[in-house]
Amino acid sequence: MYPMNYDVYIWGATITRWLGRPLVLAMLAGWLPLAAQTPEPRFGAPFDFPLYLSGNFGELRSNHFHGGLDFKTQGVVGKPLLAIADGYISKVTVTPGGYGNALYLTHDNGYTSVHGHLDRFLPEIAGLVRKKQYAEQTFAVTLEFGPDEFRFRQGEVVAYAGNTGYSFGPHLHMEIRKTATNEPIDPLPFYKDKIVDNIAPRATRIMIYGDEYRGKVALNKPMKGVAEVDGKIIVNCQLPIVNCMEAWGRISAAISANDYMNGTHNSYGVRYVRLYVDDRLVSSSDVDRFSFDENRLINSWTDYAEQRTTGRWYMRASIAENNELRMLRADEQRGWVTIDEERDYHFRYELEDLYGNRSVYRFVVRGKRMEIPCRVPSYYYLMDASRDSRFYAQGFELWMPQGTLFDDVELDYHVLPSENEQAPIYQLTTTRIPLRRAAEITLPTHKSESVDGSKLYVARVDGKRRTCCGGTYRYGRITANITELGSYTVCADTIAPKITPIGSTSWRKQGRIVCRIADAETGIRDYRGTIDGRWVLFKYSSKNARLTCDLRAEGIGPGRHQVEIKVTDMRGNVRVERYEL
């Protein structure tokens, strides 16, 4: 039997006699992979009008990276969505937040495209969605299809763009994922010829960090030095010498920057960031892909506390020991720089987009000998990132399995009094420190006998704000999962959600019922709406907390009808309201 590629086999046998076996094998090793390469896939445009973006791939978002491109839809909903390649509809989802109405198209080229915030599906798909919603008596549903059920060709209309889910303006969220791994990749390379961009990224601020107990900077913030950017030079360093910051020991940098495009006022994430020190590449990032498991690693790459406090995103040059984010690269010091000579160290940030538009920012860090405080760690309070860590104190417990922390953390544990004789506050750290994965926290409840344990929950404390983390009550203690270190307390939610009718006097005239549902403490768990005792579909939008029922679609005709809406929060408190239609 001959090899699969008969021509290669015969050519190899012949040239072996001419050149000798070792040389031929070397040549074939380099040539055969090229002969077997699969050509890059080609994707068509999702719309038949000029393309502009309101968001790009990998933008920094809370606890995640933006997984696709956001295409503008000329400010309206209902634009026909075109299939970007041949394939089939593999899944549709309907959710009150997130992508809203979403369509998953599995293509014949090995990729899957995901289209979110749709206004509506094709009639045949919409009918199946509605059938399942009634079968399961729920608004949020998922349907999956096989490769022979709903096939399409590139350029065919497969849905209509909209503003559903957690969307605050009409647009299409589109992702391209590798079908085999479900890993999102940057779709922009496929549309460079359709989207104009000759504007370079721009920075707004640069931060210099001292590595605690190993480095120090001339501070204008705790452990940080902030420099604002004007044009392409650094100013406002709060030092006598403009364009210069003094430091000693191990330091690192971070930059706050955005990209821009022609024809829009939007800002975008930066594809390439590179930091050089004395012309040596220290660290770089290339936001070309990520897996969903890597989403939380964004909190280590960026300055988490700064973003939570000021809302500004800073991309760090240093990489934490337990941050395996593949889009990051660094030298042997993992992006840290050692200032150990009294001289000027020349830093250079380069920002570049996919089109090759580039900005360069230069600044000087002057080496100045300073006293760096010695570290005397407390073994009891030191949480080691390389192993399991458990901390006990006064009925309080913190459990962090190996891999929970990005770096070692020394707890600053204190029990603080709370106002109005509420439960005490358990402080773990004075600043909010993100975790790589969830940790388990257990607090004594100190509850009075009049409070049902099922109503208690763990809350994260930020000043006077309390954020619910859930929790399970058992034997006088409550346990919950947390995703950051900070301060926590125990709260009780005994108040039922609110149901507020909107324009109830015109429900009949407008042909729809509209209510707002909200819960002040733990949030909405579920809801149910009936008319004359029969379940009917109420659509829920989490972005504005509105329930809407289309009376005509539900077959509600003339006459008097009894409407009942029941809403339950996360602690089991129930509110029921009845209206006459």
Side-chain angles (χ1 to χ4, degrees):
M1 180 180 290
Y2 290 113
M4 183 177 295
N5 192 333
Y6 179 73
D7 293 336
V8 170
Y9 176 76
I10 297 298
W11 176 83
T14 302
I15 200 170
T16 299
R17 291 196 295 270
W18 294 346
L19 301 178
R21 181 178 178 85
L23 179 58
V24 170
L25 291 177
M27 292 173 62
L28 289 176
W31 181 81
L32 286 175
L34 295 176
Q37 279 182 350
T38 303
E40 282 293 318
R42 298 179 64 86
F43 291 102
F47 298 113
D48 61 0
F49 50 81
L51 302 181
Y52 293 94
L53 299 183
S54 58
N56 72 338
F57 180 83
E59 281 183 11
L60 308 177
R61 305 286 177 88
S62 179
N63 293 315
H64 72 285
F65 297 96
H66 189 237
L69 301 179
D70 286 346
F71 289 95
K72 293 175 179 284
T73 57
Q74 301 180 328
V76 298
V77 302
K79 291 288 186 179
L81 169 64
L82 310 179
I84 62 174
D86 296 353
Y88 68 97
I89 297 175
S90 53
K91 184 166 68 171
V92 297
T93 60
V94 177
T95 57
Y99 296 160
N101 296 333
L103 185 70
Y104 293 69
L105 309 180
T106 298
H107 302 288
D108 299 335
N109 58 17
Y111 290 82
T112 295
S113 61
V114 182
H115 306 265
H117 310 308
L118 303 176
D119 182 59
R120 61 189 188 278
F121 304 111
L122 295 177
E124 189 173 359
I125 297 293
L128 294 174
V129 168
R130 181 177 174 82
K131 182 178 179 180
K132 186 161 188 178
Q133 287 172 325
Y134 266 81
E136 298 182 359
Q137 294 193 358
T138 179
F139 169 59
V141 293
T142 298
L143 289 81
E144 296 185 355
F145 305 103
D148 299 322
E149 294 185 75
F150 295 102
R151 291 202 62 84
F152 53 80
R153 303 286 291 180
Q154 180 178 320
E156 288 186 21
V157 176
V158 289
Y160 299 88
N163 189 31
T164 58
Y166 210 66
S167 166
F168 293 89
H171 73 281
L172 170 71
H173 173 85
M174 191 189 82
E175 300 176 10
I176 294 180
R177 305 179 184 176
K178 295 180 180 180
T179 302
T181 62
N182 200 38
E183 180 179 273
I185 63 171
D186 187 357
L188 187 56
F190 303 111
Y191 298 99
K192 284 181 65 176
D193 61 334
K194 298 178 176 63
I195 298 173
V196 179
D197 181 5
N198 56 28
I199 304 173
R202 296 197 299 268
T204 54
R205 288 174 176 82
I206 288 175
M207 192 91 77
I208 304 296
Y209 301 81
D211 187 7
E212 190 174 14
Y213 303 114
R214 284 188 281 184
K216 189 174 183 180
V217 297
L219 304 176
N220 51 31
K221 299 190 75 171
M223 291 306 299
K224 305 173 185 178
V226 185
E228 294 183 6
V229 174
D230 180 16
K232 295 186 180 181
I233 62 172
I234 311 302
V235 299
N236 193 26
C237 282
Q238 300 186 9
L239 288 171
I241 304 173
V242 177
N243 198 25
C244 178
M245 183 173 291
E246 296 175 343
W248 191 254
R250 201 163 98 130
I251 70 167
S252 186
I255 191 166
S256 181
N258 293 298
D259 195 12
Y260 302 88
M261 289 184 172
N262 298 68
T264 78
H265 297 288
N266 299 88
S267 60
Y268 311 93
V270 181
R271 174 63 185 262
Y272 305 103
V273 177
R274 307 180 189 97
L275 175 64
Y276 296 83
V277 178
D278 294 337
D279 292 326
R280 183 177 62 86
L281 181 62
V282 171
S283 72
S284 64
S285 61
D286 177 3
V287 188
D288 62 337
R289 60 171 180 159
F290 65 89
S291 69
F292 292 109
D293 290 340
E294 292 178 295
N295 262 322
R296 283 200 58 81
L297 303 184
I298 191 176
N299 295 325
S300 176
W301 178 30
T302 60
D303 188 328
Y304 184 82
E306 190 75 21
Q307 198 282 325
R308 291 296 190 266
T309 304
T310 67
R312 299 191 186 100
W313 290 101
Y314 286 86
M315 295 169 282
R316 294 179 182 266
S318 58
I319 304 175
E321 290 296 329
N322 281 343
N323 188 352
E324 307 94 353
L325 192 58
R326 291 171 297 162
M327 61 179 69
L328 305 181
R329 296 287 185 273
D331 61 9
E332 65 280 0
Q333 294 192 72
R334 300 187 68 85
W336 291 95
V337 178
T338 300
I339 307 295
D340 56 3
E341 300 178 38
E342 292 192 306
R343 64 174 178 88
D344 289 348
Y345 290 75
H346 296 272
F347 284 63
R348 182 175 83 250
Y349 261 115
E350 292 184 357
L351 310 177
E352 188 175 351
D353 64 21
L354 196 63
Y355 292 76
N357 304 303
R358 189 165 63 105
S359 295
V360 179
Y361 297 87
R362 305 174 191 272
F363 61 100
V364 171
V365 174
R366 177 157 296 171
K368 183 179 180 181
R369 194 176 300 274
M370 306 179 196
E371 183 179 350
I372 300 174
C374 295
R375 179 177 186 176
V376 184
S378 166
Y379 178 79
Y380 184 63
Y381 289 97
L382 181 63
M383 303 291 105
D384 190 336
S386 65
R387 62 183 185 181
D388 297 347
S389 296
R390 190 183 296 272
F391 175 79
Y392 300 92
Q394 302 167 319
F396 172 91
E397 183 177 346
L398 173 65
W399 162 242
M400 294 188 291
Q402 179 182 349
T404 300
L405 292 167
F406 288 107
D407 282 307
D408 295 350
V409 172
E410 189 170 350
L411 300 181
D412 186 6
Y413 176 79
H414 289 89
V415 180
L416 308 175
S418 182
E419 298 178 357
N420 303 324
E421 298 183 355
Q422 296 178 349
I425 296 172
Y426 296 86
Q427 174 189 288
L428 296 173
T429 53
T430 55
T431 59
R432 297 168 65 174
I433 298 176
L435 300 176
R436 189 170 175 272
R437 58 173 61 100
E440 186 178 271
I441 189 173
T442 300
L443 284 69
T445 59
H446 303 288
K447 75 180 187 70
S448 66
E449 295 301 322
S450 61
V451 178
D452 182 355
S454 66
K455 306 300 182 186
L456 300 176
Y457 65 94
V458 174
R460 190 182 67 242
V461 179
D462 299 307
K464 293 186 177 181
R465 184 179 179 183
R466 304 290 189 268
T467 303
C468 175
C469 300
T472 302
Y473 173 79
R474 188 178 183 186
Y475 303 131
R477 302 203 304 167
I478 186 165
T479 300
N481 290 329
I482 60 173
T483 56
E484 65 178 52
L485 300 180
S487 297
Y488 292 87
T489 190
V490 178
C491 296
D493 181 3
T494 59
I495 302 174
K498 289 185 178 181
I499 304 173
T500 306
I502 299 176
S504 58
T505 56
S506 58
W507 283 352
R508 172 65 73 182
K509 181 179 179 180
Q510 294 181 356
R512 61 176 185 167
I513 298 171
V514 183
C515 293
R516 184 178 185 274
I517 60 175
D519 186 74
E521 293 194 55
T522 55
I524 303 297
R525 185 173 69 195
D526 55 48
Y527 69 90
R528 179 181 176 84
T530 64
I531 298 181
D532 298 331
R534 178 176 65 90
W535 185 90
V536 293
L537 179 63
F538 276 80
K539 298 179 180 180
Y540 179 50
S541 173
S542 63
K543 65 187 174 189
N544 55 19
R546 291 195 175 189
L547 284 178
T548 304
C549 177
D550 186 331
L551 296 174
R552 296 181 182 88
E554 301 309 312
I556 306 301
R560 293 183 178 275
H561 300 278
Q562 299 297 320
V563 179
E564 180 178 287
I565 299 174
K566 177 182 177 181
V567 181
T568 307
D569 69 16
M570 299 301 293
R571 294 292 93 175
N573 301 299
V574 178
R575 176 81 65 186
V576 178
E577 297 288 354
R578 297 177 178 86
Y579 309 95
E580 186 174 273
L581 183 65

